Amino acid sequence: MSFIEKKHTYKIIFFVLLALLFVIMLISATMGSADISFTESMKIVISRIPGIGKYIDLTQISSNKIGIVTIIRMPRIILAGLIGMNLAIAGSALQGMLRNPMADPGIIGISSGAGLGAALAITVGAGSYYKGIGLTTISAFIGAAVVIFLVYNIAKTGNKIPVITLILAGIAVSFICSALTQLLMIFNRDQIEMIVRWTMGSLSAANWTKVKVILPISIFGISIIMYYAKELNVISTGEETAKTLGVNTEKTKKILLIVCSLITAACVSVSGVIGFVGLVIPHIMRILTGADQRVLLPYSAIGGAIFMIICDTLARTIAAPAEIPVGIITSLFGAPFFVYLLIINKRKGGAIN
Amino acid sequence: MNNPINVQNLDFSYNKRKILKNIDIDFEKGKVYGITGPNGSGKSTFLKNIASLLEPQKKKVYVKGTDITEYSLKNLAKTIAFVPQNTAIDFEFTVEDIVHMGRSPYTKKFGTETHEDTKICNEAMEITGTYKFKDRSIKQISGGEMQRVIIARALSQSTQILLLDEPVSQLDIHHQLAIMETLQKLAKEKNIMVVCVLHDLNLAAEFCDEVVLLNEGQIFAKDTPEKVFTYTNIEEVYKVICLVNQNPVSGKPHVILVKSGTNNE
């Protein structure tokens, strides 16, 4: 079947996934350590949906409970969704662009750069806030940005960005950043726990300000990546080929690299390092869609959001009132699931790619 | 000047090492050309120069009378199709997906393929015998099938010029002949100009209207196979002792290899 024939099926599945995402967001909002009943939380959430919200009567519910749902849970769920979306779509784009199924947003050193930035901020005093955004967040973003700049310039050969050099430069810079982070931890033993927690990822500090910062970056980044979906397809079959098919490979690679780095850096700086999502969600979605990025990118975005919201809900509920870093959950639950998919697919005679 | 490809005084170096020296050549439409020559004689480099895959130089290669450096990548992709030596694709595209990528210089940014595109792709798959496995994954087909899929993609670009870098060197004899016959048919029926790098001199002799024999980056001979594949030429360029007979069916020259070395040794 050609793309046109399959398009209809893809649309239906996409809307099913979208509906699933919405239901999961609703359910997640009803869960938490505070004692709020399912119907109460449901009412509060629905009252905040524009259009139908005004028909919901909240007079029976205490303002405390409304606050917990609308100020604590809702921004956290939305932020988790956005982060999952960005990481997964960046992973999918990078895997295609670097023609490497092992690629993820961390491969070019963004995560360790952000980690170093965060660790620096924590050691000099992380308590300070600027308009709702912590110093740690800002410093993490700067760390990620510096790393991207370094890796990009190390890899740049004349006018080109050779893929292998890019990956190797990313790994090298990654190691430097991790070593420096560990050095900071050794010299600031009293803050080791904070740094470690940050590197394991958590959304416990989510708020609406962070949503407002991440949302426009996500919309911008995802639109640009989607705009290059067709080029990505062609590039993933080989750069030389892409050139003979009329794709300006170097320009496309540069733009995508910068955009993927930007959205990943933004995510990592608010949530800490969350591994696995960017690597595995595209692989899982490829089982549904095949390698066509025109379908894979939007599917990965929704899949990433669903996966992150489920993981973050688990992170804040299974050991409540204590909280488990969400990075641990994504790996602990995601990896076995992925292994399960690998085995099933192996039995079917295919390999995941 | 209005030939599909006209090369004037082309030099090319990799890191200051001269690969191509002073190449002057014209290719006409409706013909199949074979580029032959020993390893390192510059065959692939030459082909990549006319495909604009290497840093193109001004006023060296003219495509339909216009300097190749004046073409945009998109327009070039609508004029020249290139089939690389090896293709490895790591992602689960179907055969049909790959062939449809040949239409990408024609489709708009968010536009999907039209029925016209589908028709062209289906025809390309029919010609190359790949239509029957169009829904298979590109990762689960054999090397010979892959090569035919890549040729189908090149055909779906609907170009007047088709360049192929050793298109049959990895195929069995049946597919070697099948692909060469296809190329010959395309040149005759669609008036396409085909240039392919070939290692097998007999295949080149059998299917090419003209052959180019490259030696150390220079054109040693360019003419019909009968005139180029002579005992003296082959011995001098390849340093082998051979016999040149005639294929009893087609009357084309047929090279029988005897041993490496020259008669002077």
Side-chain angles (χ1 to χ4, degrees):
Chain A
M1 279 196 293
S2 73
F3 182 67
I4 314 170
E5 293 165 291
K6 283 182 283 193
K7 212 175 162 189
H8 191 63
T9 327
Y10 285 143
K11 262 188 191 158
I12 295 169
I13 303 176
F14 183 77
F15 284 113
V16 170
L17 281 175
L18 208 59
L20 186 66
L21 170 64
F22 188 69
V23 170
I24 285 169
M25 286 172 87
L26 276 181
I27 294 171
S28 174
T30 67
M31 294 169 75
S33 48
D35 182 29
I36 307 171
S37 77
F38 181 81
T39 33
E40 279 174 334
S41 354
M42 216 45 132
K43 274 184 180 171
I44 300 168
V45 176
I46 294 170
S47 76
R48 287 297 185 273
I49 299 172
I52 47 172
K54 55 180 181 279
Y55 303 110
I56 303 289
D57 176 26
L58 291 183
T59 47
Q60 303 296 317
I61 303 167
S62 78
S63 60
N64 226 347
K65 289 178 177 175
I66 298 178
I68 287 174
V69 174
T70 59
I71 299 171
I72 297 175
R73 288 185 192 167
M74 282 174 66
R76 182 166 179 165
I77 293 164
I78 292 170
L79 198 63
L82 286 174
I83 287 171
M85 213 174 243
N86 285 331
L87 291 177
I89 209 166
S92 173
L94 286 171
Q95 285 168 10
M97 182 185 113
L98 302 175
R99 290 184 307 289
N100 187 334
M102 294 303 294
D104 79 338
I107 200 167
I108 28 188
I110 304 171
S111 306
S112 24
L116 178 60
L120 266 173
I122 291 168
T123 51
V124 299
S128 36
Y129 272 79
Y130 176 73
K131 291 184 177 172
I133 300 284
L135 178 65
T136 319
T137 304
I138 295 165
S139 178
F141 187 82
I142 294 171
V146 169
V147 163
I148 297 154
F149 180 78
L150 271 178
V151 171
Y152 180 87
N153 279 293
I154 295 171
K156 197 170 155 200
T157 316
N159 217 358
K160 293 180 175 163
I161 311 286
V163 163
I164 299 290
T165 325
L166 182 72
I167 294 174
L168 291 177
I171 292 171
V173 174
S174 236
F175 268 104
I176 298 172
C177 291
S178 307
L180 288 174
T181 309
Q182 282 157 3
L183 209 59
L184 279 175
M185 283 154 72
I186 298 294
F187 286 120
N188 299 278
R189 289 186 180 276
D190 44 327
Q191 274 139 344
I192 281 188
E193 208 204 314
M194 265 187 88
I195 300 175
V196 170
R197 279 194 84 82
W198 197 88
T199 58
M200 291 190 290
S202 170
L203 286 164
S204 57
N207 56 33
W208 284 112
T209 314
K210 286 180 179 166
V211 172
K212 279 178 199 153
V213 174
I214 297 295
L215 185 66
I217 297 178
S218 309
I219 294 172
F220 168 77
I222 292 173
S223 324
I224 303 255
I225 294 174
M226 285 297 302
Y227 182 74
Y228 282 102
K230 221 170 63 184
E231 275 85 347
L232 259 177
N233 274 344
V234 182
I235 291 178
S236 70
T237 68
E239 276 181 35
E240 203 167 72
T241 298
K243 212 177 156 192
T244 61
L245 289 172
V247 175
N248 191 339
T249 45
E250 292 304 324
K251 186 182 141 212
T252 312
K253 265 161 64 190
K254 280 176 201 165
I255 292 172
L256 285 174
L257 190 62
I258 291 168
V259 171
C260 288
S261 303
L262 174 75
I263 58 175
T264 311
C267 290
V268 174
S269 59
V270 297
S271 66
V273 182
I274 298 173
F276 204 75
V277 183
L279 173 68
V280 159
I281 297 297
H283 283 284
I284 294 175
M285 288 300 151
R286 254 185 227 115
I287 297 172
L288 274 179
T289 65
D292 194 329
Q293 298 269 5
R294 289 173 293 184
V295 192
L296 180 60
L297 288 171
Y299 273 53
S300 291
I302 304 296
I306 292 175
F307 180 74
M308 260 314 275
I309 291 172
I310 293 175
C311 285
D312 186 53
T313 310
L314 290 172
R316 62 189 170 85
T317 53
I318 46 177
E323 189 159 312
I324 299 170
V326 68
I328 296 180
I329 305 275
T330 53
S331 307
L332 204 59
F333 289 88
F337 177 60
F338 187 55
V339 170
Y340 163 77
L341 288 176
L342 273 176
I343 292 169
I344 294 216
N345 226 42
K346 202 169 69 178
R347 288 208 189 113
K348 278 197 319 197
I352 290 189
N353 241 317
Chain B
M1 252 329 246
N2 270 329
N3 280 328
I5 286 187
N6 167 263
V7 180
Q8 292 179 2
N9 199 10
L10 172 71
D11 288 305
F12 189 83
S13 318
Y14 274 127
N15 300 325
K16 292 186 182 154
R17 204 166 66 86
K18 266 205 168 179
I19 308 289
L20 297 177
K21 292 167 217 157
N22 213 354
I23 304 261
D24 265 306
I25 199 166
D26 272 336
F27 294 110
E28 294 163 29
K29 57 182 162 190
K31 283 189 177 176
V32 179
Y33 292 88
I35 313 281
T36 57
N39 291 337
S41 58
K43 301 183 296 290
S44 294
T45 310
F46 174 62
L47 202 67
K48 284 182 181 176
N49 262 288
I50 34 181
S52 194
L53 275 172
L54 299 165
E55 214 57 48
Q57 307 165 55
K58 278 198 177 117
K59 294 186 179 162
K60 297 286 179 188
V61 180
Y62 293 86
V63 178
K64 291 182 174 171
T66 309
D67 190 334
I68 198 166
T69 58
E70 284 169 29
Y71 277 82
S72 69
L73 278 170
K74 276 222 155 134
N75 279 333
L76 205 58
K78 292 177 190 172
T79 317
I80 301 180
F82 179 78
V83 176
Q85 206 166 354
N86 295 306
T87 305
I89 295 170
D90 272 333
F91 296 98
E92 294 261 348
F93 288 105
T94 65
V95 166
E96 191 172 27
D97 287 338
I98 296 290
V99 176
H100 273 262
M101 284 183 196
R103 297 305 296 166
S104 62
Y106 296 92
T107 42
K108 291 210 178 65
K109 206 74 205 176
F110 287 106
T112 45
E113 293 106 38
T114 60
H115 289 289
E116 177 71 14
D117 292 324
T118 312
K119 214 182 93 191
I120 292 169
C121 292
N122 288 347
E123 197 192 330
M125 287 189 279
E126 292 286 1
I127 293 173
T128 49
T130 51
Y131 189 83
K132 54 185 179 291
F133 55 88
K134 70 187 175 83
D135 291 323
R136 294 237 314 265
S137 159
I138 199 76
K139 293 182 71 185
Q140 287 164 9
I141 61 176
S142 72
E145 288 167 334
M146 174 66 118
Q147 191 64 282
R148 279 146 64 204
V149 171
I150 300 303
I151 293 174
R153 182 182 65 195
L155 294 181
S156 75
Q157 278 175 259
S158 309
T159 60
Q160 287 301 304
I161 300 168
L162 184 55
L163 309 177
L164 307 97
D165 195 356
E166 291 187 33
V168 295
S169 54
Q170 292 170 33
L171 307 184
D172 61 40
I173 45 176
H174 171 81
H175 286 113
Q176 290 192 355
L177 294 179
I179 295 248
M180 292 312 294
E181 282 161 8
T182 308
L183 295 178
Q184 210 173 30
K185 204 170 83 183
L186 285 167
K188 297 289 161 289
E189 290 174 8
K190 301 202 158 189
N191 212 15
I192 289 177
M193 185 205 95
V194 179
V195 179
C196 45
V197 169
L198 290 170
H199 260 306
D200 187 332
L201 300 183
N202 291 325
L203 220 47
E206 211 57 48
F207 291 98
C208 298
D209 298 299
E210 281 188 40
V211 290
V212 179
L213 185 55
L214 284 179
N215 190 26
E216 294 171 356
Q218 284 174 306
I219 295 177
F220 188 87
K222 180 205 178 234
D223 214 319
T224 57
E226 288 81 356
K227 286 186 179 145
V228 174
F229 293 151
T230 60
Y231 170 73
T232 41
N233 281 352
I234 295 171
E235 187 194 79
E236 188 169 346
V237 170
Y238 285 96
K239 311 283 185 283
V240 292
I241 296 168
C242 63
L243 301 170
V244 182
N245 274 5
Q246 225 182 20
N247 180 325
V249 181
S250 63
K252 302 276 184 179
H254 189 87
V255 182
I256 296 165
L257 303 173
V258 179
K259 62 186 256 222
S260 68
T262 58
N263 266 340
N264 303 331
E265 280 164 17

